[in-house]
Amino acid sequence: MKKGALGFLALLLVPCPGAPAAEDLKARAARLQRSAIVVDTHEDVPEQLEKEWVDIGVRQKTGHVDIPRWKEGGMTAPFLAAYVSSGYAASGGAA
């Protein structure tokens, strides 16, 4: 990394006089997220369910995506895509 970029990154870590406290920023971020439509356009749920079927309506012991976690994280619009491998088309299947 170039010295200029490294110096700039170091400046970002230095607190500014009169800057809001970290807790104020956390509370502001939480308010902003609660008032926003939160969209995740890359969920690997369909691919994972093909490997191992689980009920995503209940908290899972493994993995990182299930409906309880979406609700806790403020997710309001998860996007689940149905992916079909190009190998299926080669064998006369879906395209």
Side-chain angles (χ1 to χ4, degrees):
M1 185 179 287
K2 294 183 178 181
K3 286 183 181 179
L6 188 59
F8 176 72
L9 290 174
L11 284 175
L12 292 176
L13 300 174
V14 176
C16 299
E23 190 56 38
D24 293 340
L25 291 176
K26 185 177 179 180
R28 182 177 176 204
R31 279 193 316 276
L32 178 63
Q33 183 181 17
R34 282 192 303 271
S35 68
I37 296 172
V38 180
V39 180
D40 187 342
T41 61
H42 186 84
E43 294 290 353
D44 293 324
V45 174
E47 183 180 0
Q48 185 61 33
L49 291 177
E50 179 183 23
K51 297 173 187 172
E52 177 188 6
W53 187 260
V54 296
D55 181 357
I56 65 169
V58 297
R59 178 179 286 278
Q60 299 298 308
K61 293 180 182 176
T62 60
H64 65 278
V65 174
D66 53 49
I67 293 173
R69 284 187 175 93
W70 279 336
K71 289 180 178 181
E72 291 167 10
M75 177 66 56
T76 52
F79 180 82
L80 305 175
Y83 168 77
V84 178
S85 171
S86 61
Y88 286 111
S91 65

